[in-house]
């Protein structure tokens, strides 16, 4: 799924590990989400959006993403 996780993580000066710690997942999970290889659960998407203080729709581009 197309998302802004990498961009926003860099803006907040967070490492993948640091972001993972904030939302309760591994660094590898964050890397997979950033690369579009893993679609997060609704709850993880919610937690990520809260870290960046934006809506889920602003974080994930549903309209341009291929539905799996």
């Amino acid at each position: 799924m197309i998302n802004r996780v990498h961009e926003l993580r860099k803006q907040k000066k967070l490492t993948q590990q640091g972001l993972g710690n904030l939302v309760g997942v591994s660094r590898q999970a964050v890397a997979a989400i950033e690369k579009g290889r893993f679609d997060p659960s609704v709850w993880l998407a919610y937690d990520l959006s809260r870290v960046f203080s934006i809506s889920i729709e602003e974080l994930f581009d549903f309209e341009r993403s291929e539905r799996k």
Side-chain angles (χ1 to χ4, degrees), residues 1-6 16 28-40 60 65-66 68:
M1 179 177 298
I2 299 169
N3 66 74
R4 299 177 57 209
V5 174
H6 180 263
Q16 289 176 336
Q28 292 87 346
V30 172
I33 292 167
E34 288 182 351
K35 293 178 182 174
R37 293 191 323 242
F38 174 71
D39 293 338
F60 295 93
S65 296
E66 183 177 316
K68 293 181 183 176

Side-chain angles (χ1 to χ4, degrees), residues 33-67:
I33 292 167
E34 288 182 351
K35 293 178 182 174
R37 293 191 323 242
F38 174 71
D39 293 338
S41 69
V42 173
W43 287 110
L44 179 52
Y46 174 79
D47 290 342
L48 288 166
S49 72
R50 297 296 66 163
V51 168
F52 300 122
S53 301
I54 61 175
S55 70
I56 293 173
E57 290 84 1
E58 291 173 294
L59 185 57
F60 295 93
D61 189 343
F62 293 96
E63 291 184 16
R64 292 189 317 143
S65 296
E66 183 177 316
R67 192 171 190 157

